Amino acid sequence: MRVVILCGGESPERDVSLASGGSVARALLERGHEAVLVDPAAAVPLLAGPLQPGDTIDGFAVGKEPPSLSNRRQLRWRMHGALTGGPVLELLRGAELVFLALHGGWGEDGHVQALLEMAGVRFTGAGSAACAAAWHKGRAQAVLGAAGVPVAERVLWRPGAGEVPQDVKRLVAAGPVVAKPVADGSSVSVHRVESLAQLAQVAAETGSGEGELLVEPFLSGREFTVAVVGDQVLPVVEIELTTPVFDYQAKYQPGAVSEVCPAQIPADFASLLQELALRAHHALGFGSDGYSRTDFRCDASGEPMCLEVNALPGLTATSLLPRAAAGADWTYPDLIQRIVDLATH
């Protein structure tokens, strides 16, 4: 099968996306597919291809910090131009499948999916509506809560739009809170905050694609994640932290955290987390042809709260979805082939 892998892109997850793209290409080649790597935000978008078994794929490393994207607007113009005309569009039209490894930003919020849908191009993962629903953490919370998935209290705040809202002040006064952009992935710019002064500093330093921060109580319990591939729920992964929050640095540096799969928890609690993940998957519009990863953290009493649902979870060597797949006795190429099969059958 001729597969075009879209990776890179314009978001703070650019490095992660490039690393995912390289890993996906190797797995596709191992399974006998043709693969082309494309970064639609790059000045020269064709990274490598068409690749054949035995070809060398340059490695992409995930740095300790998200890349600086002072030219994000320019990158978005490049992406739009590449995906709507010229040689990249011809590659997409000639592909039997587009494998989306564009984490974050336009790759995960429904933009690219909508373009591919309008062009009639088949691609992996959820459609544009489901991606848009999951990407904005504030809107997703409302959908998940209505579906019976437990979520913590959250307040959206647009810094610079006047005085700090009373609801935010109340949350900070009640104890530590977590502040993060309402629309970013890979735990980019996640901060534990313990005072209004500290929150103001975070607001000044943190950029957000939609100009909003999400503020929620800090949950002091254990952290878990559950992946769904099609309609199959994978084993629960526990994330054992050495830091207060599971931020970008902890997520992508080997050895920074311990990831245990299957999680060492009672069977009924594991079943509860899996049931909630499947409910969240469907509530946001992910069908049997998509895949997702739902993150949970427990409160002080041990009750799990849903943090977010990831529409295009990372596929690097240290990412959580491949770790969960390994817990189900799937190899990495098995996982990639299953994602391909979901999109093509």
Side-chain angles (χ1 to χ4, degrees):
M1 181 181 293
R2 295 186 305 278
V3 183
V4 172
I5 304 163
L6 292 183
C7 57
E10 46 68 59
S11 85
E13 297 181 72
R14 176 178 173 80
D15 288 354
V16 180
S17 178
L18 289 169
S20 286
S23 296
V24 169
R26 293 183 187 90
L28 289 173
L29 292 174
E30 183 174 322
R31 287 305 178 96
H33 301 287
E34 294 181 11
V36 178
L37 275 167
V38 173
D39 175 4
V44 181
L46 181 61
L47 295 174
L51 298 163
Q52 298 294 335
D55 286 351
T56 299
I57 303 172
D58 292 336
F60 302 107
V62 180
K64 293 183 179 181
E65 300 284 345
S68 174
L69 296 175
S70 57
N71 61 337
R72 191 168 186 177
R73 184 177 181 184
Q74 179 184 358
L75 295 178
R76 285 183 167 177
W77 274 111
R78 283 181 183 169
M79 282 188 70
H80 183 271
L83 294 170
T84 56
V88 170
L89 181 58
E90 292 306 310
L91 273 175
L92 297 177
R93 285 174 172 165
E96 295 174 79
L97 179 68
V98 173
F99 197 110
L100 289 178
L102 281 169
H103 312 310
W106 280 9
E108 200 164 348
D109 68 2
H111 274 82
V112 171
Q113 289 81 359
L115 286 172
L116 294 174
E117 287 165 354
M118 287 188 289
V121 176
R122 189 160 53 179
F123 59 90
T124 59
S128 59
C131 288
W135 181 242
H136 189 286
K137 297 178 180 67
R139 298 183 195 125
Q141 178 205 30
V143 174
L144 295 173
V149 179
V151 292
E153 180 183 4
R154 292 176 169 180
V155 178
L156 296 182
W157 172 41
R158 188 179 296 275
E163 186 180 355
V164 178
Q166 288 299 319
D167 285 345
V168 173
K169 292 180 179 179
R170 176 177 52 80
L171 287 180
V172 175
V177 299
V178 172
K180 56 189 174 185
V182 74
D184 258 328
S186 276
S187 302
V188 173
S189 299
V190 174
H191 297 272
R192 173 174 164 156
V193 173
E194 301 191 15
S195 69
L196 287 175
Q198 188 180 0
L199 181 62
Q201 182 180 356
V202 168
E205 295 175 353
T206 301
S208 171
E210 297 200 20
E212 290 180 297
L213 287 177
L214 184 148
V215 182
E216 61 187 358
F218 172 75
L219 302 174
S220 59
R222 299 164 75 179
E223 188 156 345
F224 303 95
T225 192
V226 184
V228 178
V229 179
D231 284 321
Q232 183 167 351
V233 188
L234 300 186
V236 178
V237 180
E238 179 169 10
I239 303 159
E240 296 181 347
L241 300 173
T242 58
T243 57
V245 293
F246 192 32
D247 58 10
Y248 184 97
Q249 290 79 4
K251 183 170 286 189
Y252 294 109
Q253 298 310 307
V257 297
S258 176
E259 297 163 355
V260 181
C261 185
Q264 301 303 295
I265 53 178
D268 58 346
F269 186 55
S271 295
L272 171 63
L273 291 173
Q274 290 175 311
E275 190 276 328
L276 291 174
L278 187 60
R279 188 183 303 177
H281 180 89
H282 290 307
L284 291 170
F286 293 81
S288 58
D289 57 348
Y291 62 103
S292 68
R293 201 197 75 232
T294 300
D295 300 335
F296 299 92
R297 189 154 183 166
C298 296
D299 62 17
S301 66
E303 293 298 315
M305 300 288 172
C306 180
L307 300 178
E308 63 180 305
V309 178
N310 301 271
L312 284 180
L315 291 169
T316 73
T318 59
S319 292
L320 290 162
L321 175 55
R323 183 72 186 87
D329 294 325
W330 299 356
T331 65
Y332 185 90
D334 288 340
L335 170 63
I336 300 307
Q337 185 61 54
R338 285 173 186 261
I339 292 172
V340 168
D341 291 342
L342 289 174
T344 55
H345 290 86

